[in-house]
Amino acid sequence: MNVPLPWKTEIKYLGFIFSKTNQNNINIKYLRTKARRKINTLKSIAYKTYGPRTKDLISIANNSICSLFFHNCSTINKWLATHLNICDVIQTTALRTAMGLPIWTPNIILLKLAAQETLSGKIKRLATQFFLKYIAYGAHSPLYRNDGTQSVKLTNKDSSALDQILPAFNIDINHIIKFPITLDCLNIKCEIHLHSFLFQDKSLPKTTIEALFEDTIRTNFSNFFLIATDASKSPQITSIAGTSSTNSFTYRLQHINSIFSAEALALCQALDELPNDEDSVLLLTDSLSALQALANLSIKSHKIILRLAAKIATREKFHQNIVLLWTPGHADIKWNEKADMLARRVSESDLNIQWVSVEDIITQLKVHSENQTDTTYRGSKYYATLGDIPSIQTIAPWLKNRREDIIIARIISRMIITPALLHRFGLNDNPLCSMCKCDNSIEHILLYCRKYSLIRQSLCHRLHINLVGISMFKSFISIICSSQHAIRALFSLVKFFDIC
């Protein structure tokens, strides 16, 4: 058409606005407007007494509202603290709507009840995970050139985040297991036997499994060089071992490795150390999950599985026949028992292999982030009053409907509407109980008020407790949230306390 393309000061790509000036402000305004529309939609379905359950509304808040900030987390994590605080405000607004809690509910209690980490913290964690994944792609990553040198320099924020996290887990960036350089590993032809033989039935007696295994080896693998591997994970040590008729090995691993990764690393190490020039090698392992992952190999498989496949592919090039055989664990198969014994005997003084899977680092990051919410709550002033409160998702199976979800959340957080609470925020002139002449709070109503003494006695009788020994509100909450019977007992009488 010979029409010149117009100049633009900004362009939107994949939901993110790239602007010539003040890009961050434009994006936060755009995302905040979009989030507000979604929160208003959430309000329209959350206000109903018998509408969607709280746990489902929390999922909607996460997957529809908070997720707006996840897709571009590697860019958003570089925003100013002021902008990240806006993200947290959007998250807490959505969670208050989902849980039916008033606006003055403290954020610490809100996040603890919803079992959520702060949105700004999650954005930073996801950005770190993003760069860790690309580091693990090695030569296939845009972060590196073909010769392995770094082609893209990380910003100071991204680099410092990695520098803080990796040493905290005692990990060096060079020890992260990377994607194989070539893709030949995706076309391995080795046999993997998961349920091909009779002895692979764990329901059989141990003596039968052992006899069937020996018969299978004699019949089908008499000319194979046998290698057995195993892994062990205790609270202190993660270890691997391998054994053959001529040699064996034992190593200590980075404790961050999962048992899945350890089993796969044991197979890798066995292929490196134990076979000599044998034409046929039979690898025995009791890790069904590792062999299933290898049998369903794809470019998205765990990096440790791809490394194992690469080692098998290398041996196949030299016409070596590799067969992997699953053996039931703890079934008195002597090969497995020997490898298991070797793995369990590994101590702190044994040789250490530094390799670690990026998937295990990411899992540990998630666990650390989830624990951070608990740590923050335990360090706050609210812990002394409320104690170790459960999440709504934990007690949701014991509740019947949305109304009960809201009531229990407000009781646990001490945010249920009472004269004392309204007075605290200037919404009521008289905070005192008409009978007892003290603050008419939720603690007073449930534990001390003489007006409800008969109802309280009935509740104690149903819970088989003596309320005289319960002097603190957190002790009462701990008893109520300990079982379904206790919660149902409370809801059978809660309407007589005049709090809902």
Side-chain angles (χ1 to χ4, degrees):
M1 296 288 292
N2 295 324
V3 177
L5 293 174
W7 286 96
K8 290 195 173 185
T9 57
E10 61 185 49
I11 185 171
K12 186 166 73 172
Y13 180 71
L14 294 177
F16 202 75
I17 299 173
F18 294 90
S19 174
K20 191 174 181 180
T21 58
N22 210 357
Q23 178 174 304
N24 290 350
N25 276 343
I26 292 173
N27 276 295
I28 192 63
K29 287 178 181 177
Y30 168 73
L31 291 175
R32 182 167 55 182
T33 302
K34 198 170 182 179
R36 280 175 174 170
R37 287 200 299 267
K38 290 178 177 287
I39 290 173
N40 288 334
T41 304
L42 185 66
K43 287 178 180 178
S44 67
I45 61 174
Y47 82 95
K48 298 179 181 179
T49 305
Y50 291 91
R53 298 295 301 278
T54 296
K55 61 183 180 64
D56 299 321
L57 293 172
I58 291 174
S59 296
I60 292 173
N62 279 328
N63 299 326
S64 177
I65 299 170
C66 296
S67 62
L68 293 171
F69 301 88
F70 296 162
H71 304 301
N72 295 290
C73 58
S74 56
T75 303
I76 294 175
N77 75 317
K78 301 173 187 63
W79 285 358
L80 297 174
T82 306
H83 293 152
L84 291 176
N85 287 339
I86 292 173
C87 298
D88 289 338
V89 171
I90 291 170
Q91 179 196 29
T92 53
T93 303
L95 288 178
R96 283 192 183 91
T97 302
M99 299 177 70
L101 291 172
I103 193 172
W104 49 71
T105 307
N107 291 345
I108 295 175
I109 297 176
L110 190 70
L111 293 171
K112 172 65 176 172
L113 276 172
Q116 302 293 316
E117 56 187 306
T118 60
L119 183 54
S120 58
K122 189 168 185 177
I123 289 169
K124 293 175 183 177
R125 173 173 66 81
L126 291 175
T128 303
Q129 292 177 196
F130 172 84
F131 289 111
L132 283 172
K133 286 179 180 178
Y134 274 94
I135 288 170
Y137 276 117
H140 301 278
S141 167
L143 296 178
Y144 296 94
R145 298 188 181 92
N146 291 335
D147 59 1
T149 58
Q150 199 168 356
S151 61
V152 177
K153 186 176 180 181
L154 299 181
T155 64
N156 290 336
K157 280 192 175 182
D158 296 326
S159 180
S160 62
L162 288 173
D163 290 342
Q164 289 175 8
I165 289 168
L166 295 181
F169 295 141
N170 195 26
I171 298 169
D172 188 283
I173 197 169
N174 296 316
H175 293 145
I176 296 176
I177 296 172
K178 294 182 173 61
F179 196 94
I181 295 176
T182 64
L183 297 180
D184 297 344
C185 61
L186 297 176
N187 301 312
I188 57 173
K189 299 178 177 61
C190 69
E191 295 180 23
I192 302 174
H193 296 285
L194 302 177
H195 303 289
S196 306
F197 303 104
L198 294 175
F199 78 90
Q200 293 176 314
D201 183 358
K202 290 195 73 171
S203 64
L204 295 174
K206 290 183 179 180
T207 53
T208 305
I209 291 176
E210 183 183 8
L212 289 172
F213 170 78
E214 295 294 341
D215 183 64
T216 301
I217 296 300
R218 280 194 304 270
T219 306
N220 300 280
F221 304 105
S222 58
N223 297 324
F224 280 71
F225 182 74
L226 268 65
I227 300 173
T229 65
D230 203 358
S232 175
K233 190 174 182 69
S234 68
Q236 294 80 29
I237 291 178
T238 303
S239 57
I240 60 173
T243 183
S244 68
S245 58
T246 59
N247 203 355
S248 63
F249 67 82
T250 57
Y251 290 103
R252 181 167 51 89
L253 299 182
Q254 291 278 57
H255 197 50
I256 195 174
N257 281 303
S258 64
I259 192 66
F260 171 85
S261 298
E263 294 279 7
L265 274 171
L267 291 168
C268 291
Q269 202 65 28
L271 287 172
D272 285 342
E273 293 195 21
L274 297 183
N276 296 320
D277 297 322
E278 292 79 7
D279 292 331
S280 300
V281 176
L282 178 64
L283 286 170
L284 308 176
T285 177
D286 62 359
S287 176
L288 185 61
S289 58
L291 294 187
Q292 285 174 333
L294 188 63
N296 297 284
L297 194 65
S298 73
I299 200 169
K300 294 183 180 180
S301 295
H302 280 226
K303 304 300 179 292
I304 182 59
I305 297 298
L306 290 168
R307 167 172 282 200
L308 175 59
K311 291 183 181 295
I312 293 173
T314 301
R315 291 188 171 273
E316 287 180 344
K317 287 180 182 178
F318 292 97
H319 307 290
Q320 195 170 39
N321 182 21
I322 306 292
V323 176
L324 293 104
L325 181 66
W326 176 71
T327 54
H330 308 291
D332 291 341
I333 296 174
K334 64 178 183 179
W335 287 94
N336 273 14
E337 296 303 315
K338 184 178 179 181
D340 180 65
M341 179 189 66
L342 290 171
R344 290 177 184 276
R345 285 183 177 178
V346 173
S347 64
E348 292 284 351
S349 59
D350 283 283
L351 291 174
N352 184 23
I353 293 179
Q354 298 290 335
W355 293 116
V356 64
S357 166
V358 69
E359 290 83 7
D360 292 330
I361 299 175
I362 290 173
T363 299
Q364 198 63 32
L365 278 174
K366 290 179 181 177
V367 172
H368 177 74
S369 298
E370 290 169 0
N371 293 339
Q372 191 63 40
T373 300
D374 289 339
T375 303
T376 303
Y377 170 72
R378 288 176 178 273
S380 70
K381 62 182 180 180
Y382 305 106
Y383 180 70
T385 306
L386 301 178
D388 199 5
I389 59 178
S391 66
I392 289 299
Q393 292 91 328
T394 303
I395 58 177
W398 303 339
L399 304 172
K400 291 183 176 180
N401 49 53
R402 168 71 171 165
R403 176 176 174 272
E404 290 189 356
D405 290 344
I406 294 174
I407 291 172
I408 198 66
R410 292 188 175 191
I411 289 176
I412 291 173
S413 61
R414 296 171 66 234
M415 288 294 135
I416 199 159
I417 304 302
T418 61
L421 184 67
L422 293 174
H423 178 76
R424 178 182 167 190
F425 296 100
L427 301 174
N428 188 5
D429 296 330
N430 183 18
L432 302 180
C433 172
S434 59
M435 183 175 291
C436 306
K437 303 304 180 185
C438 59
D439 277 354
N440 200 6
S441 62
I442 185 63
E443 297 100 313
H444 174 72
I445 293 171
L446 292 176
L447 299 180
Y448 310 117
C449 187
R450 298 194 301 270
K451 180 180 178 181
Y452 308 107
S453 58
L454 293 177
I455 303 169
R456 195 178 301 112
Q457 288 175 13
S458 177
L459 178 61
C460 292
H461 177 72
R462 296 189 185 191
L463 296 178
H464 307 292
I465 61 173
N466 182 8
L467 203 58
V468 176
I470 302 176
S471 59
M472 301 184 71
F473 184 68
K474 66 179 181 181
S475 301
F476 177 77
I477 291 300
S478 177
I479 293 171
I480 291 299
C481 296
S482 62
S483 67
Q484 182 177 3
H485 169 73
I487 283 190
R488 297 318 315 163
L490 175 65
F491 274 105
S492 66
L493 297 171
V494 72
K495 59 184 177 182
F496 300 111
F497 282 104
D498 300 328
I499 56 174
C500 59

